[in-house]
Amino acid sequence: MKRTRTYDWEDPAISAGAVGRGSGLEFLREILAGRLPTAPVAATLGMALEKVDHGHVVFSLEPGEEHYNPIGSVHGGIYATMLDSAAGCAVQSTLPQGMAYTSLDLTVKFLRPVTADTGKVRAVGSVVSSGRRTALAEAKLLDPTDRLLAHATSSCMLFPVPAT
């Protein structure tokens, strides 16, 4: 009954080194196009960046039993990771060259369970408000029929990329 899962990832220093060299939107589009590596956590979970526009991103995941908690549904940490990624990358997509962000907080509301039978879920992130030092974003986790499964808000700190 033992199950295994194997996956590969690329050196995260490659994409980290590209942060701030162009706009945040350009950075994310390079990841989407496969010219920069995706985050190792995306490989770990099987999460994919599907869409990137200014102030808006979409991540997807096909839930499987490898995402389950002990009670037979997708663990809330998977929801939170997807929502944090979507909200944060929505903010990233609005940043000019030379700027970066980090999440200050994440508030998640779990509304419905997700299982392997749910089908592909999407975390849709969008910027609500952005200033010089902070940005507020929200993300929604949706099932294939656009039913809301979870909702999150995130505050992000904006800062210049440190010189190397």
Side-chain angles (χ1 to χ4, degrees), residues 118-132:
T118 300
K120 183 168 83 169
V121 296
R122 291 171 294 115
V124 179
S126 56
V127 174
V128 174
S129 176
S130 188
R132 285 186 312 113

Side-chain angles (χ1 to χ4, degrees), residues 75-137:
H75 190 281
I78 305 297
Y79 288 54
T81 300
M82 290 188 73
L83 293 165
D84 182 54
S85 297
C89 287
V91 169
Q92 176 80 37
S93 73
T94 66
L95 298 180
Q97 182 175 348
M99 293 296 288
Y101 83 95
T102 190
S103 298
L104 291 171
D105 62 27
L106 181 72
T107 302
V108 180
K109 301 297 182 193
F110 303 100
L111 304 172
R112 291 185 170 84
V114 175
T115 67
D117 295 330
T118 300
K120 183 168 83 169
V121 296
R122 291 171 294 115
V124 179
S126 56
V127 174
V128 174
S129 176
S130 188
R132 285 186 312 113
R133 295 186 182 169
T134 61
L136 176 66

Side-chain angles (χ1 to χ4, degrees), residues 17-55:
V19 172
R21 285 192 296 198
S23 72
L25 184 59
E26 291 166 344
F27 172 77
L28 291 169
R29 286 184 172 159
E30 290 293 299
I31 291 172
L32 184 64
R35 292 185 289 269
L36 282 175
T38 189
V41 70
T44 301
L45 296 180
M47 183 173 71
L49 179 61
E50 281 196 350
K51 183 177 180 183
V52 176
D53 290 311
H54 187 268

Side-chain angles (χ1 to χ4, degrees), residues 10 17 29 38 41 44 58-59 65-66 72-74 89 94 110 112-113 115 122-123 129 138 142 151 153 157:
E10 296 180 57
R29 286 184 172 159
T38 189
V41 70
T44 301
V58 179
F59 283 92
E65 64 181 22
E66 68 274 15
S73 61
V74 172
C89 287
T94 66
F110 303 100
R112 291 185 170 84
T115 67
R122 291 171 294 115
S129 176
E138 71 172 349
L142 304 170
H151 180 267
T153 56
M157 179 175 63

